[in-house]
Structures are given as structure tokens and as C-alpha cells.
Amino acid sequence: MSTIRTVIVEDEAVTARNLIHLLGEIAHDIDIVSTLSTVEEATTWFAGNENMYDLIFMDIRLADGLSFDIFKRINIDKPVIFVTAYNDYAITAFKNNGIDYILKPFDGEEIAHAVNKYKRWIGNATPQVLPVFTDLAAQIGNLSKSYKKSFLIHYRDKLIPVETAKISWFYTANEIVYARTNDDRQFVMDFTMEQLEQQLDPNTFFRANRQFLINRQIHNRS
């Protein structure tokens, strides 16, 4: 198969970087042709580059609206792999060229499975988007929220994994969010406190106030 020209539509910079990193590791035939972050930007790009891409990885909630608004403005006939923190848009996603629906936080295995699904789809002599989902209706009801087990964090020009269980707390200072680990290391996070709260298991982390998200296990030991 030739290079898969891929577009990423994602407004969280760290998620876009993580996705690019994983795609580079698991699919050497992927070529990222553009990374877009808003409905407006994506609409303009897709309108002017109709034949410049083969596959889209797309978040749903963007800074200026839902990515479904893009499909209302222009015609997109290429397959889409939706990547989102929310499970309540699955049916709409499948009606808008979706071939897979991945819940954040994602891992390499999920991304590889989605890319392989695309390859099977494109390998069909007469590919159709809708038949891919004949068994998805049952799966939608089983979609459940999963939580971050680790974060890929930029540290000294590298991406390093930090296990969530080893983080004592997250806090914000001067509009910057930090993570403090139980071995007293500190990292800058590319998420807001609200985004972290959505991604962390509430049975493990609790929001003490506007500035702190605290690991209950660390808190209970103190």
C-alpha cells in the first residue's frame, strides 16, 4: 500500500503530538500532511485540499465548536477515525464517515487497530463506509469511560511516560498546570485542570479546590 496521507484535527496540542508519536511508531506508511485545531481552520483546509489526503483522525469537541460542523459546511468523502473523551457522539460520528471511534485516553494498540481497519476498508474493491458499522450499534452501548494510566510528558526535549499512580497531585500556578510525583519531581502539563479532571479516575483523584487535584492514596497516607 502507498503512503497514507493523514490529517489530524485536534485542538489539544499534547494529544496531537502523542498521536503523531504513536502513528510514527506503529505505522511507518503514515504521512501527516496537516494538523488542524479548529472548525474554521479545518473547513478552510479541506475545502482547498480535496485530493491531498486519504484519512482523517478527528477530535469531536474543538475550541470553536463540534467537528461535525465541518461536514455541514463542506463535503468530505474520506474515512474518519474519531478520537474523543466523550462516548455520547458515537452514532453521529458513524453518520459522518466514521470508521472507528476511540475514547481518550488512547494507547498504541487502539491506534494500530484503527489504522488496520482503514487498510482493510481501503483494500476492499468497492469500499463503503456504512457497512463497516453493521456490528457497531451493539458496541456503542458498551462504550465506557476509561481513565489515564500514564501521561506522555515533554521533559528536556523528550517525551517521557509518567505513571498516573506515581503522581501525588496536580496544581496550577500563574496559569500553568504542574504535576508533582511522589519522588518530588515536577512536570509542566499541557492540559487544563478541567481537562485533567475529565481524564483522571475520580476514585483516585479528587478536586480539592480550583488549584489542586490530589491523589487520594497519597492524601490518605499523609
Side-chain angles (χ1 to χ4, degrees), residues 110-128:
E110 291 172 304
I111 300 300
H113 180 270
V115 171
N116 288 333
K117 179 180 286 188
Y118 166 79
K119 291 179 178 179
R120 292 195 302 271
W121 180 88
I122 203 68
N124 189 341
T126 57
Q128 299 289 328

Side-chain angles (χ1 to χ4, degrees), residues 153-180:
I153 297 176
H154 279 84
Y155 181 71
R156 296 180 179 176
D157 298 323
K158 295 181 179 179
L159 274 173
I160 64 170
V162 176
E163 292 181 34
T164 304
K166 294 182 178 178
I167 297 175
S168 299
W169 62 79
F170 299 90
Y171 73 97
T172 181
N174 298 319
E175 299 184 354
I176 299 174
V177 176
Y178 300 90
R180 175 78 68 171

